[in-house]
Amino acid sequence: MAEKMKGKGVISGIAVGKIMLAGQNLDGYLKDYKPKKKADEKKIAADALIKVAANLVKTIEDLNKKNMKEQAAILEAHRMMVEDPAMSGAIDEQVDKTGSAPRAVLDAYESQAQVFEQMEDEYFRGRAVDMRDVGKRIAKYILGIKEPEIGEGKVIVAGQEIEPSVIAGLPSEKIAGVILGQGSTTSHAIIIAKTRAIPSIVGVGDAIEKMADGDPVIIDGDTGDILIRPTDEERASYDVKIKKQEELKAHYAELKELPAITTDGVKVELVANIGSPADVDAANNFGAEGVGLFRSEFVFMGKTDIPKEEDQFKEYKAAVEKCKGNLCVIRTMDIGGDKPLPYIQVGQEENPFLGYRAIRISLQRRDLFIPQLKAILRAGKFGKAGIMFPMVINVDEFKAAQKMVEDAKAELVHEGKEYGDVQLGIMVETPAAAVMTPILAKYVDFFSIGTNDLVQYTLAVDRGNAQIAYLYNHFNPAVLRLIKRTIESANKEGKWAGMCGEMASDPNAAILLMAMGIKELSMSAPSIPKVKERIRNISSSKAKEILDKVMEMEDGNEIKAYLSTIS
Ligand code: PEP
Ligand code: MG
């Protein structure tokens, strides 16, 4: 019998492979290390920083050559952490305390990791892993430890925390699955796994300790089941599921180049939500026809100061170019409240979700907003771009943002920099905006409905509170009415409406939205095939019948149950 464990399945699918443990323990090596004089140890650490940075540059070049952009981007961030001048000072201080170069490196990066860990935002907390990873990489260099060999076959990477460099250093086709001890879904390992649809399980806790390198394992990303050293019978019991999965994958691959069009010819654009230009490559593999939401706050995170216009321009330009003539909608930074940045003073707030955030910050901070707008406008010259403002609640905010865009253009003209024609739109994610869409539609080029927030604000249900998650339902009739109103308002004014909240990835919701007249659905790329399949197998007239019936229903759960019977 296999050793059975359970975690929380976060990326569906079954994976078979050998365990590859991440997170090597260095204690033994540190004990054996014989430090020299403090001045020598400081020199050893300083030399290691230079060597490790140089090695990273080489690895990044190799990854880029192989088109492994996501991995290259992670290691690029690591290179910056190695070369951060503040870190070399912190390491010297630690050498004064401990006398050992590898110990000092680990301690210096550990204390920076702890700063990240105390941040409220889950994304920042996730970056603590990167800090520790970098510290360990440098310490391993000093201690002369080599990275493990992968060998034949596919691996399931497992670790309490999985160091991003482990994932980044492995060829994509080698990683069959991911098992994470802790429960975070925003760790790099999971972010990468999501864009590539690698089956993943999180939150297995100390069960990780029971796994050994090379153990054969089966994981089920739907149920969260893990079978270590399965017997032949246990393996065979998964064969049917695996076969089905392979067939589905092959079928989805066939859909890649086909449009999302109903049997009677109504087309919906299926596009991707991304956090970095590298995500566009993965999205294209799932047949995305562009980007409906580039969460630009990722460009602002993990930095100690406002990213320069030029640095932002490079990111946006790369994303726009990768969209190859399809629209790339870049959302201006949705930061503040629960997502703090060190260079924006928000202060303690009673209700961060109702606080100083997103467009509210942008409109008050020209020093942040204008460089971002200039960078996006310039990127627009390299393809088709859109600017989208988050958290808008009234017409005035849109007009003020529009005026800032004009100011940004004037600055570019003055500086002799070229810019493209970009569409201007808003996220409809507050009930106020949704109610006002008949007026807003006169001014904007497009709406993108952000249901993650629209549901939470309409129903007064915190989107992250598990205790009241049963109330969080995008089929709630109040939510559906706001969505329908938004789509109809756009269409009436000859503008387009899309959706970039999670609801867009629900195939049953897609039917209703299409019947309401939505033009674009934006989602995490691996969801595209299943939504496409649903749209391609229904007529718009049938979808309208379903919508009419749904709009007569009084309760969100009833609607959900009804839709599940017709799929
Ligand atoms: C939304 O609110 O639906 C949305 C897409 O934005 P975010 O999830 O980034 O708040
Ligand atoms: Mg939102």
Side-chain angles (χ1 to χ4, degrees):
M1 279 269 284
E3 172 119 35
K4 291 188 180 140
M5 303 166 187
K6 208 169 172 74
K8 184 177 169 216
V10 287
I11 302 173
S12 81
I14 293 160
V16 181
K18 289 178 303 179
I19 289 284
M20 181 182 155
L21 287 176
Q24 204 173 5
N25 194 325
L26 302 187
D27 288 352
Y29 295 94
L30 287 167
K31 241 190 230 147
D32 294 343
Y33 182 76
K34 304 262 175 299
K36 305 191 175 82
K37 281 195 222 118
K38 282 185 181 169
D40 295 332
E41 290 300 297
K42 284 182 187 171
K43 169 106 182 40
I44 288 171
D47 288 347
L49 290 176
I50 294 168
K51 265 277 155 35
V52 169
N55 288 346
L56 280 169
V57 169
K58 196 178 162 317
T59 313
I60 292 163
E61 274 172 17
D62 289 348
L63 290 170
N64 275 325
K65 267 187 218 145
K66 289 187 207 150
N67 216 16
M68 292 165 72
K69 305 280 181 200
E70 302 141 80
Q71 292 93 328
I74 291 173
L75 293 194
E76 180 55 29
H78 283 198
R79 185 191 61 75
M80 282 154 73
M81 290 176 186
V82 175
E83 291 186 336
D84 185 345
M87 289 315 296
S88 53
I91 292 167
D92 280 355
E93 272 176 34
Q94 292 298 335
V95 172
D96 284 332
K97 279 190 202 154
T98 66
S100 149
R103 181 77 267 161
V105 166
L106 290 171
D107 290 351
Y109 280 90
E110 174 59 32
S111 81
Q112 193 53 39
Q114 285 175 13
V115 172
F116 276 114
E117 235 160 26
Q118 275 150 24
M119 295 186 176
E120 237 177 78
D121 182 71
E122 205 188 348
Y123 176 84
F124 279 118
R125 287 202 303 274
R127 301 294 72 75
V129 186
D130 294 80
M131 270 294 171
R132 291 202 179 94
D133 190 8
V134 169
K136 212 161 168 185
R137 182 186 278 268
I138 303 163
K140 275 159 86 176
Y141 175 83
I142 299 173
L143 295 165
I145 303 170
K146 296 235 159 26
E147 300 297 332
E149 301 280 324
I150 314 168
E152 290 295 303
K154 292 195 176 197
V155 295
I156 311 271
V157 186
Q160 205 48 260
E161 282 184 342
I162 296 180
E163 295 140 342
S165 62
V166 171
I167 299 280
L170 286 171
S172 316
E173 66 281 3
K174 278 278 180 192
I175 311 174
V178 172
I179 306 173
L180 199 62
Q182 46 132 311
S184 166
T185 51
T186 53
S187 70
H188 265 311
I190 300 298
I191 289 173
I192 295 183
K194 227 181 225 167
T195 58
R196 294 202 219 133
I198 297 172
S200 301
I201 295 176
V202 303
V204 301
D206 292 340
I208 292 278
E209 315 303 331
K210 296 185 188 155
M211 302 173 190
D213 263 324
D215 272 347
V217 61
I218 300 175
I219 68 169
D220 186 335
D222 294 295
T223 61
D225 287 321
I226 301 169
L227 278 78
I228 309 280
R229 295 175 293 276
T231 61
D232 287 347
E233 292 88 79
E234 284 167 331
R235 167 71 216 252
S237 73
Y238 274 88
D239 281 350
V240 178
K241 272 184 163 181
I242 293 170
K243 190 159 172 262
K244 254 199 184 147
Q245 181 174 298
E246 295 302 321
E247 283 167 4
L248 195 63
K249 235 193 215 164
H251 173 58
Y252 281 168
E254 282 168 14
L255 288 179
K256 187 180 153 189
E257 305 296 338
L258 299 175
I261 193 164
T262 61
T263 53
D264 52 354
V266 175
K267 176 153 184 352
V268 182
E269 303 275 330
L270 298 188
V271 298
N273 290 351
I274 62 162
S276 74
D279 293 345
V280 187
D281 298 317
N284 288 341
N285 287 335
F286 288 100
E289 298 168 281
V291 166
L293 169 65
F294 179 171
R295 287 183 163 99
S296 76
E297 50 274 18
F298 285 93
V299 176
F300 286 75
M301 288 172 166
K303 315 255 166 32
T304 50
D305 207 347
I306 306 169
K308 301 251 172 328
E309 174 195 319
E310 206 54 36
D311 294 335
Q312 290 191 57
F313 166 62
K314 280 186 199 142
E315 299 267 330
Y316 305 146
K317 174 175 174 260
V320 169
E321 281 180 335
K322 282 168 189 280
C323 285
K324 301 181 187 122
N326 285 321
L327 181 63
C328 179
V329 176
I330 301 167
R331 176 173 76 182
T332 60
M333 57 153 206
D334 185 8
I335 217 88
D338 65 322
K339 297 183 213 164
L341 285 181
Y343 45 90
I344 299 178
Q345 302 309 319
V346 174
Q348 200 63 28
E349 294 186 310
E350 291 266 329
N351 285 305
F353 272 113
L354 306 180
Y356 184 49
R357 55 176 305 194
I359 192 71
R360 300 167 187 184
I361 296 181
S362 294
L363 290 177
Q364 288 186 24
R365 291 280 306 263
R366 282 183 84 84
D367 60 323
L368 286 173
F369 202 30
I370 294 285
Q372 175 164 44
L373 293 174
K374 284 164 76 180
I376 304 175
L377 286 165
R378 287 173 61 197
K381 189 81 195 149
F382 295 84
K384 205 168 155 196
I387 299 179
M388 175 157 78
F389 306 116
M391 292 290 299
V392 168
I393 58 162
N394 59 34
V395 177
D396 267 5
E397 280 176 340
F398 178 74
K399 285 186 180 168
Q402 198 177 27
K403 164 85 176 52
M404 293 273 231
V405 172
E406 290 311 311
D407 292 350
K409 284 181 185 169
E411 280 193 23
L412 290 174
V413 170
H414 184 71
E415 291 162 12
K417 292 178 185 161
E418 291 192 313
Y419 62 85
D421 228 359
V422 303
Q423 301 187 29
L424 290 191
I426 62 165
M427 300 266 307
V428 176
E429 54 184 342
T430 64
V435 168
M436 290 301 286
T437 49
I439 313 291
L440 282 160
K442 295 182 195 303
Y443 299 96
V444 303
D445 294 319
F446 66 90
F447 292 137
S448 183
I449 305 168
T451 48
N452 304 345
D453 279 318
L454 186 62
V455 173
Q456 102 163 329
Y457 293 132
T458 305
L459 305 179
V461 174
D462 183 336
R463 63 195 254 186
N465 186 335
Q467 214 170 1
I468 49 169
Y470 69 99
L471 293 171
Y472 190 96
N473 180 357
H474 50 238
F475 293 122
N476 180 291
V479 175
L480 288 184
R481 275 161 180 71
L482 290 179
I483 291 171
K484 190 160 178 279
R485 180 183 179 87
T486 301
I487 297 169
E488 287 171 356
S489 304
N491 289 342
K492 204 163 158 222
E493 289 293 333
K495 311 295 172 65
W496 63 268
M499 177 177 283
C500 59
E502 283 298 310
M503 183 180 184
S505 63
D506 175 344
N508 286 340
I511 295 174
L512 299 184
L513 296 164
M514 188 254 300
M516 289 178 188
I518 208 150
K519 298 288 184 292
E520 174 242 53
L521 294 171
S522 190
M523 62 201 82
S524 95
S527 297
I528 289 177
K530 68 174 198 276
V531 173
K532 189 184 279 185
E533 166 121 302
R534 196 83 175 88
I535 291 173
R536 289 180 61 83
N537 282 306
I538 197 164
S539 67
S540 68
S541 50
K542 173 80 182 152
K544 281 209 177 75
E545 268 172 39
I546 295 170
L547 175 64
D548 288 345
K549 214 162 171 176
V550 160
M551 293 312 282
E552 278 170 15
M553 294 181 180
E554 295 175 2
D555 178 75
N557 289 329
E558 183 193 355
I559 296 171
K560 203 171 178 178
Y562 164 65
L563 289 173
S564 67
T565 63
I566 55 152
S567 53

